[in-house]
Amino acid sequence: TKSAWEYDLDKIFSEFISDDYGSQINNDYVTKRLEELSSVARAFLSWTSLIGGTFSFSLVKLVMERKYKGAESSTATSVPFTEKEDAVIGLQNALNAFIIMPSQSEDRFRFSHDRYMQAARSLVECYSKNEMHFAIAQTIIMPEYQDTPWLTSMGVHQKIQHISSSLELLKERIQTRSPYRQLLYDAAEHALEAGARSIAMECLSNALYLLQDNPWDEGAPDVSY
């Protein structure tokens, strides 16, 4: 190795040629770089981009590996991975490309720049965002994960983002939706305390959407308050 940066100056000028100064410096160039990565790395970045700029590797690994409820449905178009090493390889490739950076915690990582996160959301591997949000929403609700460090460190508004982004799938596929409604209600209370009334109204509206079709029938499942 030469221990120095190497680049093709002619290629740089041709890439950014434009009539107006700075108009070509946009997400297209960043997306093109992500598309040069392996399919595993692109899938990994697609999942992480929906979780946030800073994310837990444990959560990404879970949603990439497990087949969540509803995956057998003909309408399910997400692509949960089956090999455990895929998430690890995806992380390593993203780290080697300096797109992802480690943090002080061994389980937490972050995008090295916001544009990488934005570009990852436009990758072909991120074609079914509702399905992916649905998988994440189911994962954070599962009882066995409630005391895990990666979930306890996740903010309530980060959790409801995935619920709110998959409302139709949750109502269609999940019969007992009270845990999702409870999270939305907790988020609404938190928003009211912070003076964010519009967010509180949105959370409550989404919680009402997840009620059963006849919420007053006490003999039906998932109608207990």
mmCIF file of all heavy atoms in Angstrom, residues 124-161:
data_model
loop_
_atom_site.group_PDB
_atom_site.id
_atom_site.type_symbol
_atom_site.label_atom_id
_atom_site.label_comp_id
_atom_site.label_asym_id
_atom_site.label_seq_id
_atom_site.Cartn_x
_atom_site.Cartn_y
_atom_site.Cartn_z
ATOM 1 N N VAL A 124 -32.572 -0.480 -4.444
ATOM 2 C CA VAL A 124 -33.596 -1.429 -4.872
ATOM 3 C C VAL A 124 -33.928 -2.413 -3.749
ATOM 4 O O VAL A 124 -35.053 -2.907 -3.653
ATOM 5 C CB VAL A 124 -33.134 -2.185 -6.140
ATOM 6 C CG1 VAL A 124 -31.919 -3.056 -5.846
ATOM 7 C CG2 VAL A 124 -34.263 -3.022 -6.719
ATOM 8 N N GLU A 125 -32.955 -2.698 -2.876
ATOM 9 C CA GLU A 125 -33.202 -3.600 -1.752
ATOM 10 C C GLU A 125 -34.170 -3.012 -0.739
ATOM 11 O O GLU A 125 -34.670 -3.716 0.134
ATOM 12 C CB GLU A 125 -31.876 -3.940 -1.061
ATOM 13 C CG GLU A 125 -30.997 -4.908 -1.822
ATOM 14 C CD GLU A 125 -30.233 -4.238 -2.955
ATOM 15 O OE1 GLU A 125 -30.262 -2.989 -3.056
ATOM 16 O OE2 GLU A 125 -29.595 -4.954 -3.734
ATOM 17 N N CYS A 126 -34.445 -1.726 -0.855
ATOM 18 C CA CYS A 126 -35.367 -1.056 0.072
ATOM 19 C C CYS A 126 -36.715 -0.800 -0.617
ATOM 20 O O CYS A 126 -37.399 0.160 -0.321
ATOM 21 C CB CYS A 126 -34.739 0.269 0.526
ATOM 22 S SG CYS A 126 -35.381 0.923 2.081
ATOM 23 N N TYR A 127 -37.090 -1.700 -1.517
ATOM 24 C CA TYR A 127 -38.259 -1.467 -2.364
ATOM 25 C C TYR A 127 -39.578 -1.613 -1.619
ATOM 26 O O TYR A 127 -40.600 -1.147 -2.071
ATOM 27 C CB TYR A 127 -38.251 -2.419 -3.563
ATOM 28 C CG TYR A 127 -38.409 -3.883 -3.204
ATOM 29 C CD1 TYR A 127 -39.663 -4.487 -3.168
ATOM 30 C CD2 TYR A 127 -37.303 -4.659 -2.888
ATOM 31 C CE1 TYR A 127 -39.810 -5.822 -2.837
ATOM 32 C CE2 TYR A 127 -37.437 -5.993 -2.561
ATOM 33 C CZ TYR A 127 -38.682 -6.575 -2.539
ATOM 34 O OH TYR A 127 -38.813 -7.891 -2.193
ATOM 35 N N SER A 128 -39.576 -2.310 -0.486
ATOM 36 C CA SER A 128 -40.834 -2.560 0.226
ATOM 37 C C SER A 128 -40.723 -2.041 1.650
ATOM 38 O O SER A 128 -40.617 -2.806 2.604
ATOM 39 C CB SER A 128 -41.160 -4.055 0.214
ATOM 40 O OG SER A 128 -42.427 -4.276 0.782
ATOM 41 N N LYS A 129 -40.730 -0.743 1.779
ATOM 42 C CA LYS A 129 -40.488 -0.129 3.091
ATOM 43 C C LYS A 129 -41.567 -0.504 4.108
ATOM 44 O O LYS A 129 -41.262 -0.702 5.289
ATOM 45 C CB LYS A 129 -40.406 1.392 2.946
ATOM 46 C CG LYS A 129 -39.195 1.884 2.153
ATOM 47 C CD LYS A 129 -39.168 3.405 2.103
ATOM 48 C CE LYS A 129 -37.928 3.902 1.385
ATOM 49 N NZ LYS A 129 -37.913 3.516 -0.036
ATOM 50 N N ASN A 130 -42.826 -0.599 3.677
ATOM 51 C CA ASN A 130 -43.894 -0.958 4.610
ATOM 52 C C ASN A 130 -43.665 -2.336 5.212
ATOM 53 O O ASN A 130 -43.866 -2.550 6.412
ATOM 54 C CB ASN A 130 -45.255 -0.907 3.912
ATOM 55 C CG ASN A 130 -45.693 0.510 3.598
ATOM 56 O OD1 ASN A 130 -45.094 1.465 4.064
ATOM 57 N ND2 ASN A 130 -46.726 0.645 2.799
ATOM 58 N N GLU A 131 -43.255 -3.288 4.369
ATOM 59 C CA GLU A 131 -42.968 -4.640 4.859
ATOM 60 C C GLU A 131 -41.801 -4.624 5.844
ATOM 61 O O GLU A 131 -41.820 -5.336 6.849
ATOM 62 C CB GLU A 131 -42.643 -5.568 3.684
ATOM 63 C CG GLU A 131 -43.815 -5.898 2.790
ATOM 64 C CD GLU A 131 -44.694 -6.994 3.378
ATOM 65 O OE1 GLU A 131 -44.325 -7.563 4.425
ATOM 66 O OE2 GLU A 131 -45.756 -7.280 2.792
ATOM 67 N N MET A 132 -40.789 -3.824 5.559
ATOM 68 C CA MET A 132 -39.617 -3.753 6.425
ATOM 69 C C MET A 132 -39.961 -3.099 7.760
ATOM 70 O O MET A 132 -39.543 -3.555 8.822
ATOM 71 C CB MET A 132 -38.490 -3.024 5.701
ATOM 72 C CG MET A 132 -38.024 -3.750 4.439
ATOM 73 S SD MET A 132 -36.944 -2.783 3.366
ATOM 74 C CE MET A 132 -35.377 -2.975 4.222
ATOM 75 N N HIS A 133 -40.759 -2.030 7.713
ATOM 76 C CA HIS A 133 -41.222 -1.406 8.961
ATOM 77 C C HIS A 133 -42.073 -2.386 9.769
ATOM 78 O O HIS A 133 -42.002 -2.425 11.000
ATOM 79 C CB HIS A 133 -42.032 -0.144 8.654
ATOM 80 C CG HIS A 133 -41.194 1.052 8.335
ATOM 81 N ND1 HIS A 133 -40.319 1.612 9.245
ATOM 82 C CD2 HIS A 133 -41.090 1.796 7.204
ATOM 83 C CE1 HIS A 133 -39.718 2.661 8.691
ATOM 84 N NE2 HIS A 133 -40.168 2.788 7.459
ATOM 85 N N PHE A 134 -42.871 -3.178 9.058
ATOM 86 C CA PHE A 134 -43.704 -4.179 9.707
ATOM 87 C C PHE A 134 -42.840 -5.201 10.449
ATOM 88 O O PHE A 134 -43.132 -5.579 11.584
ATOM 89 C CB PHE A 134 -44.562 -4.874 8.639
ATOM 90 C CG PHE A 134 -45.385 -6.020 9.148
ATOM 91 C CD1 PHE A 134 -46.438 -5.813 10.026
ATOM 92 C CD2 PHE A 134 -45.121 -7.325 8.746
ATOM 93 C CE1 PHE A 134 -47.210 -6.874 10.489
ATOM 94 C CE2 PHE A 134 -45.878 -8.389 9.195
ATOM 95 C CZ PHE A 134 -46.928 -8.165 10.068
ATOM 96 N N ALA A 135 -41.755 -5.639 9.821
ATOM 97 C CA ALA A 135 -40.844 -6.598 10.458
ATOM 98 C C ALA A 135 -40.194 -5.996 11.698
ATOM 99 O O ALA A 135 -40.071 -6.645 12.744
ATOM 100 C CB ALA A 135 -39.775 -7.039 9.464
ATOM 101 N N ILE A 136 -39.781 -4.742 11.607
ATOM 102 C CA ILE A 136 -39.147 -4.077 12.754
ATOM 103 C C ILE A 136 -40.157 -3.872 13.876
ATOM 104 O O ILE A 136 -39.858 -4.093 15.055
ATOM 105 C CB ILE A 136 -38.532 -2.734 12.317
ATOM 106 C CG1 ILE A 136 -37.444 -2.961 11.261
ATOM 107 C CG2 ILE A 136 -37.950 -1.993 13.519
ATOM 108 C CD1 ILE A 136 -36.947 -1.691 10.605
ATOM 109 N N ALA A 137 -41.381 -3.451 13.517
ATOM 110 C CA ALA A 137 -42.425 -3.234 14.522
ATOM 111 C C ALA A 137 -42.715 -4.514 15.292
ATOM 112 O O ALA A 137 -42.863 -4.507 16.519
ATOM 113 C CB ALA A 137 -43.695 -2.706 13.865
ATOM 114 N N GLN A 138 -42.801 -5.631 14.586
ATOM 115 C CA GLN A 138 -43.048 -6.905 15.259
ATOM 116 C C GLN A 138 -41.902 -7.283 16.190
ATOM 117 O O GLN A 138 -42.123 -7.810 17.283
ATOM 118 C CB GLN A 138 -43.240 -8.006 14.219
ATOM 119 C CG GLN A 138 -44.622 -8.048 13.613
ATOM 120 C CD GLN A 138 -44.878 -9.392 12.964
ATOM 121 O OE1 GLN A 138 -44.301 -9.696 11.930
ATOM 122 N NE2 GLN A 138 -45.716 -10.185 13.573
ATOM 123 N N THR A 139 -40.684 -7.012 15.761
ATOM 124 C CA THR A 139 -39.516 -7.382 16.555
ATOM 125 C C THR A 139 -39.470 -6.621 17.868
ATOM 126 O O THR A 139 -39.207 -7.190 18.935
ATOM 127 C CB THR A 139 -38.223 -7.133 15.758
ATOM 128 O OG1 THR A 139 -38.270 -7.883 14.537
ATOM 129 C CG2 THR A 139 -37.000 -7.563 16.550
ATOM 130 N N ILE A 140 -39.744 -5.314 17.831
ATOM 131 C CA ILE A 140 -39.635 -4.519 19.054
ATOM 132 C C ILE A 140 -40.796 -4.782 20.021
ATOM 133 O O ILE A 140 -40.733 -4.366 21.184
ATOM 134 C CB ILE A 140 -39.560 -3.010 18.728
ATOM 135 C CG1 ILE A 140 -40.839 -2.529 18.040
ATOM 136 C CG2 ILE A 140 -38.343 -2.705 17.879
ATOM 137 C CD1 ILE A 140 -40.847 -1.041 17.724
ATOM 138 N N ILE A 141 -41.832 -5.469 19.558
ATOM 139 C CA ILE A 141 -42.971 -5.797 20.418
ATOM 140 C C ILE A 141 -42.777 -7.135 21.119
ATOM 141 O O ILE A 141 -43.350 -7.382 22.182
ATOM 142 C CB ILE A 141 -44.273 -5.817 19.576
ATOM 143 C CG1 ILE A 141 -44.728 -4.391 19.277
ATOM 144 C CG2 ILE A 141 -45.392 -6.569 20.267
ATOM 145 C CD1 ILE A 141 -45.111 -3.602 20.540
ATOM 146 N N MET A 142 -41.963 -8.005 20.598
ATOM 147 C CA MET A 142 -41.835 -9.364 21.128
ATOM 148 C C MET A 142 -41.378 -9.353 22.584
ATOM 149 O O MET A 142 -40.414 -8.656 22.935
ATOM 150 C CB MET A 142 -40.864 -10.170 20.266
ATOM 151 C CG MET A 142 -41.358 -10.387 18.847
ATOM 152 S SD MET A 142 -40.229 -11.373 17.840
ATOM 153 C CE MET A 142 -40.443 -12.991 18.593
ATOM 154 N N PRO A 143 -42.070 -10.098 23.470
ATOM 155 C CA PRO A 143 -41.779 -10.071 24.919
ATOM 156 C C PRO A 143 -40.338 -10.423 25.260
ATOM 157 O O PRO A 143 -39.756 -9.845 26.188
ATOM 158 C CB PRO A 143 -42.748 -11.117 25.493
ATOM 159 C CG PRO A 143 -43.851 -11.209 24.488
ATOM 160 C CD PRO A 143 -43.213 -10.974 23.158
ATOM 161 N N GLU A 144 -39.726 -11.343 24.519
ATOM 162 C CA GLU A 144 -38.379 -11.791 24.865
ATOM 163 C C GLU A 144 -37.312 -10.729 24.656
ATOM 164 O O GLU A 144 -36.180 -10.884 25.110
ATOM 165 C CB GLU A 144 -38.004 -13.042 24.064
ATOM 166 C CG GLU A 144 -38.068 -12.882 22.560
ATOM 167 C CD GLU A 144 -39.373 -13.345 21.966
ATOM 168 O OE1 GLU A 144 -40.423 -13.085 22.594
ATOM 169 O OE2 GLU A 144 -39.353 -13.972 20.901
ATOM 170 N N TYR A 145 -37.668 -9.632 23.976
ATOM 171 C CA TYR A 145 -36.677 -8.580 23.717
ATOM 172 C C TYR A 145 -36.870 -7.334 24.580
ATOM 173 O O TYR A 145 -36.106 -6.370 24.451
ATOM 174 C CB TYR A 145 -36.715 -8.172 22.245
ATOM 175 C CG TYR A 145 -36.427 -9.298 21.285
ATOM 176 C CD1 TYR A 145 -37.180 -9.454 20.118
ATOM 177 C CD2 TYR A 145 -35.415 -10.216 21.543
ATOM 178 C CE1 TYR A 145 -36.920 -10.498 19.242
ATOM 179 C CE2 TYR A 145 -35.156 -11.265 20.665
ATOM 180 C CZ TYR A 145 -35.911 -11.399 19.520
ATOM 181 O OH TYR A 145 -35.651 -12.428 18.654
ATOM 182 N N GLN A 146 -37.887 -7.344 25.452
ATOM 183 C CA GLN A 146 -38.238 -6.115 26.168
ATOM 184 C C GLN A 146 -37.150 -5.613 27.116
ATOM 185 O O GLN A 146 -37.054 -4.421 27.377
ATOM 186 C CB GLN A 146 -39.547 -6.316 26.938
ATOM 187 C CG GLN A 146 -40.751 -6.565 26.043
ATOM 188 C CD GLN A 146 -40.871 -5.543 24.923
ATOM 189 O OE1 GLN A 146 -40.947 -4.342 25.173
ATOM 190 N NE2 GLN A 146 -40.836 -6.006 23.678
ATOM 191 N N ASP A 147 -36.325 -6.508 27.652
ATOM 192 C CA ASP A 147 -35.277 -6.091 28.589
ATOM 193 C C ASP A 147 -33.897 -6.042 27.952
ATOM 194 O O ASP A 147 -32.893 -5.879 28.644
ATOM 195 C CB ASP A 147 -35.240 -7.043 29.798
ATOM 196 C CG ASP A 147 -36.517 -6.966 30.628
ATOM 197 O OD1 ASP A 147 -37.092 -5.867 30.714
ATOM 198 O OD2 ASP A 147 -36.939 -8.013 31.176
ATOM 199 N N THR A 148 -33.824 -6.173 26.648
ATOM 200 C CA THR A 148 -32.524 -6.137 25.989
ATOM 201 C C THR A 148 -32.008 -4.699 25.915
ATOM 202 O O THR A 148 -32.791 -3.755 25.770
ATOM 203 C CB THR A 148 -32.625 -6.713 24.572
ATOM 204 O OG1 THR A 148 -33.646 -5.997 23.852
ATOM 205 C CG2 THR A 148 -32.971 -8.197 24.609
ATOM 206 N N PRO A 149 -30.690 -4.501 26.003
ATOM 207 C CA PRO A 149 -30.132 -3.148 25.968
ATOM 208 C C PRO A 149 -30.490 -2.378 24.698
ATOM 209 O O PRO A 149 -30.744 -1.172 24.752
ATOM 210 C CB PRO A 149 -28.616 -3.391 26.062
ATOM 211 C CG PRO A 149 -28.483 -4.722 26.734
ATOM 212 C CD PRO A 149 -29.660 -5.524 26.264
ATOM 213 N N TRP A 150 -30.530 -3.072 23.561
ATOM 214 C CA TRP A 150 -30.788 -2.358 22.320
ATOM 215 C C TRP A 150 -32.203 -1.812 22.262
ATOM 216 O O TRP A 150 -32.454 -0.770 21.647
ATOM 217 C CB TRP A 150 -30.509 -3.245 21.106
ATOM 218 C CG TRP A 150 -31.337 -4.489 20.993
ATOM 219 C CD1 TRP A 150 -30.977 -5.737 21.365
ATOM 220 C CD2 TRP A 150 -32.664 -4.613 20.452
ATOM 221 N NE1 TRP A 150 -31.980 -6.645 21.106
ATOM 222 C CE2 TRP A 150 -33.026 -5.983 20.531
ATOM 223 C CE3 TRP A 150 -33.572 -3.722 19.905
ATOM 224 C CZ2 TRP A 150 -34.257 -6.464 20.097
ATOM 225 C CZ3 TRP A 150 -34.797 -4.197 19.472
ATOM 226 C CH2 TRP A 150 -35.127 -5.546 19.568
ATOM 227 N N LEU A 151 -33.162 -2.500 22.936
ATOM 228 C CA LEU A 151 -34.544 -2.018 22.911
ATOM 229 C C LEU A 151 -34.781 -0.951 23.975
ATOM 230 O O LEU A 151 -35.462 0.040 23.722
ATOM 231 C CB LEU A 151 -35.520 -3.177 23.102
ATOM 232 C CG LEU A 151 -37.006 -2.814 22.977
ATOM 233 C CD1 LEU A 151 -37.286 -2.153 21.628
ATOM 234 C CD2 LEU A 151 -37.883 -4.041 23.146
ATOM 235 N N THR A 152 -34.209 -1.133 25.168
ATOM 236 C CA THR A 152 -34.405 -0.148 26.227
ATOM 237 C C THR A 152 -33.762 1.196 25.874
ATOM 238 O O THR A 152 -34.176 2.236 26.390
ATOM 239 C CB THR A 152 -33.822 -0.666 27.561
ATOM 240 O OG1 THR A 152 -32.455 -1.037 27.364
ATOM 241 C CG2 THR A 152 -34.590 -1.873 28.055
ATOM 242 N N SER A 153 -32.762 1.167 25.004
ATOM 243 C CA SER A 153 -32.118 2.421 24.604
ATOM 244 C C SER A 153 -32.838 3.102 23.441
ATOM 245 O O SER A 153 -32.503 4.228 23.080
ATOM 246 C CB SER A 153 -30.655 2.160 24.213
ATOM 247 O OG SER A 153 -30.584 1.313 23.076
ATOM 248 N N MET A 154 -33.821 2.425 22.871
ATOM 249 C CA MET A 154 -34.553 2.999 21.747
ATOM 250 C C MET A 154 -35.650 3.925 22.246
ATOM 251 O O MET A 154 -36.424 3.578 23.133
ATOM 252 C CB MET A 154 -35.155 1.876 20.890
ATOM 253 C CG MET A 154 -35.866 2.376 19.637
ATOM 254 S SD MET A 154 -36.678 1.023 18.702
ATOM 255 C CE MET A 154 -35.218 0.163 18.112
ATOM 256 N N GLY A 155 -35.722 5.107 21.704
ATOM 257 C CA GLY A 155 -36.728 6.075 22.109
ATOM 258 C C GLY A 155 -38.112 5.660 21.671
ATOM 259 O O GLY A 155 -38.283 4.944 20.680
ATOM 260 N N VAL A 156 -39.133 6.130 22.412
ATOM 261 C CA VAL A 156 -40.505 5.737 22.106
ATOM 262 C C VAL A 156 -40.927 6.225 20.722
ATOM 263 O O VAL A 156 -41.638 5.541 19.991
ATOM 264 C CB VAL A 156 -41.474 6.250 23.204
ATOM 265 C CG1 VAL A 156 -41.496 7.769 23.243
ATOM 266 C CG2 VAL A 156 -42.877 5.710 22.964
ATOM 267 N N HIS A 157 -40.461 7.407 20.330
ATOM 268 C CA HIS A 157 -40.855 7.937 19.021
ATOM 269 C C HIS A 157 -40.173 7.171 17.889
ATOM 270 O O HIS A 157 -40.719 7.082 16.785
ATOM 271 C CB HIS A 157 -40.528 9.422 18.928
ATOM 272 C CG HIS A 157 -41.410 10.269 19.796
ATOM 273 N ND1 HIS A 157 -42.756 10.442 19.539
ATOM 274 C CD2 HIS A 157 -41.161 10.959 20.928
ATOM 275 C CE1 HIS A 157 -43.296 11.213 20.470
ATOM 276 N NE2 HIS A 157 -42.344 11.533 21.325
ATOM 277 N N GLN A 158 -38.998 6.637 18.170
ATOM 278 C CA GLN A 158 -38.347 5.779 17.178
ATOM 279 C C GLN A 158 -39.134 4.484 16.988
ATOM 280 O O GLN A 158 -39.257 3.974 15.877
ATOM 281 C CB GLN A 158 -36.916 5.474 17.609
ATOM 282 C CG GLN A 158 -36.067 4.795 16.546
ATOM 283 C CD GLN A 158 -34.650 4.559 17.008
ATOM 284 O OE1 GLN A 158 -34.294 4.809 18.149
ATOM 285 N NE2 GLN A 158 -33.816 4.069 16.105
ATOM 286 N N LYS A 159 -39.713 3.983 18.064
ATOM 287 C CA LYS A 159 -40.512 2.757 17.977
ATOM 288 C C LYS A 159 -41.802 2.991 17.191
ATOM 289 O O LYS A 159 -42.170 2.181 16.337
ATOM 290 C CB LYS A 159 -40.847 2.263 19.389
ATOM 291 C CG LYS A 159 -39.651 1.827 20.210
ATOM 292 C CD LYS A 159 -40.074 1.437 21.619
ATOM 293 C CE LYS A 159 -38.891 1.086 22.488
ATOM 294 N NZ LYS A 159 -39.291 0.765 23.886
ATOM 295 N N ILE A 160 -42.489 4.083 17.488
ATOM 296 C CA ILE A 160 -43.782 4.295 16.834
ATOM 297 C C ILE A 160 -43.630 4.640 15.359
ATOM 298 O O ILE A 160 -44.591 4.517 14.594
ATOM 299 C CB ILE A 160 -44.601 5.393 17.548
ATOM 300 C CG1 ILE A 160 -43.898 6.749 17.420
ATOM 301 C CG2 ILE A 160 -44.883 5.023 18.979
ATOM 302 C CD1 ILE A 160 -44.774 7.911 17.768
ATOM 303 N N GLN A 161 -42.440 5.075 14.959
ATOM 304 C CA GLN A 161 -42.216 5.334 13.538
ATOM 305 C C GLN A 161 -42.484 4.071 12.720
ATOM 306 O O GLN A 161 -43.105 4.124 11.653
ATOM 307 C CB GLN A 161 -40.779 5.801 13.303
ATOM 308 C CG GLN A 161 -40.407 5.908 11.825
ATOM 309 C CD GLN A 161 -38.908 6.021 11.609
ATOM 310 O OE1 GLN A 161 -38.120 6.065 12.544
ATOM 311 N NE2 GLN A 161 -38.506 6.071 10.356
#
